[in-house]
Amino acid sequence: MRRLLAAAALALALTAPAAAQGGFRDWIEGVWPAAQARGVSRATFEAAFRDVTAPDPAVLARLGRQGEFGRPVWEYLSGAVSAGRVARGRLEASRRASTLAAIEARFGVPAPVLLAVWGMESDFGAATGTVSTVRALATLAEAGHRGTLFRDELVAALEILEHHDVGPEGLRGSWAGAMGQTQFLPSVYLRAAVDFDGDGRRDIWASAPDALASIASFLAQAGWQPGLPWGVAVRLPDGFDLARYQGSFADFAARGVRREDGSALPATGEASLFLPGGHGGPAVLITANFEAFRAYNTSDAYALAVGHLADRIAGGAPFAAPWPTGAPRLDAAGLKALQQGLAARNLYAGPLDGRAGPKLREAVRRYQIAAGLPADGYASPTLLAHLRRASP
Ligand code: CA
């Protein structure tokens, strides 16, 4: 979630002024009416900003750094799903088996998935962030002037303080306002955080049971379907028709698709074929639960990493198919050019943001099917060259 904000923060940074201290305090006072309207007391408001006298220069210095969007998915995966993280996840799975079972019974989200999100977001609670959330959000909101995203999150942070789940000293997280072991933004916390250890406080900072249950609560709200896998790594038979990439697991099984380890596919459920490195590379049948991961962070690479980490924690093997590590790939400018070319052909209606995602994948497949190319949905330099050669 913190990475999702980097692009928004970058846009704001372009208009960021060097605020004088007095101006910053005046700006904070301007937040009071919105906070008051949400039930925040004056005492809470003053306590929250007591030590926040100036913008945080470290927060401003971090603006614009790219996360998983700028890197090849296989590089991102090898960092996110490291052998050490898999081992730690397995250790936590046995240490916390009864808590995880109780959380799964209540929310329907399996333990390996909860551990994977926890591992991705904070290294199982080890890296929760030490930046004051109030100061970080005030810095970002004030720098943006008209941007309401960070200002709304700042008011949500004040609401958290009003509920006394945590004090101003404890309200900490990343430079972009993502908090604690779950890296929730304040508005997400208000909506999804859970007190699972029963001490009366929703403590995503210091309580692992609360953090894990809060992750489950978030995924349940995002539409997680109990009993359905997030996705299944598969092998495609020779001659598989890539143009038919959606259907039930039973349909895919009937067409000769098997799990990478050779075992049978799930008996029920709908899936869609995802080829994150193009045909010839790893192949995954993803389900609606993949989209629940994308509610946490919109990046396909993030969702794939969470799912794969969950599988590895549960004892699964690394992807067997090779990644196209040596092949040229499209950077953000290339992806944007592809989006523009597909939009000009009325095949793509999503944002022209230079990011791969389900909408671009779908548009690429439509183009490939019309052009008689293997419909793997993969946005490659070869495809962009083909698009440029073809008359619109
Ligand atoms: Ca608690």
Side-chain angles (χ1 to χ4, degrees), residues 194-203 207 210:
V194 170
D195 170 29
F196 201 77
D197 62 14
D199 72 348
R201 298 186 310 119
R202 303 187 291 170
D203 186 357
S207 166
D210 285 10

Side-chain angles (χ1 to χ4, degrees), residues 290-327:
F290 189 79
E291 292 305 306
F293 294 157
R294 292 184 71 254
Y296 219 113
N297 181 321
T298 55
S299 154
D300 278 340
Y302 172 86
L304 186 64
V306 167
H308 188 52
L309 179 58
D311 287 355
R312 297 293 312 283
I313 289 171
F319 289 116
W323 292 103
T325 49

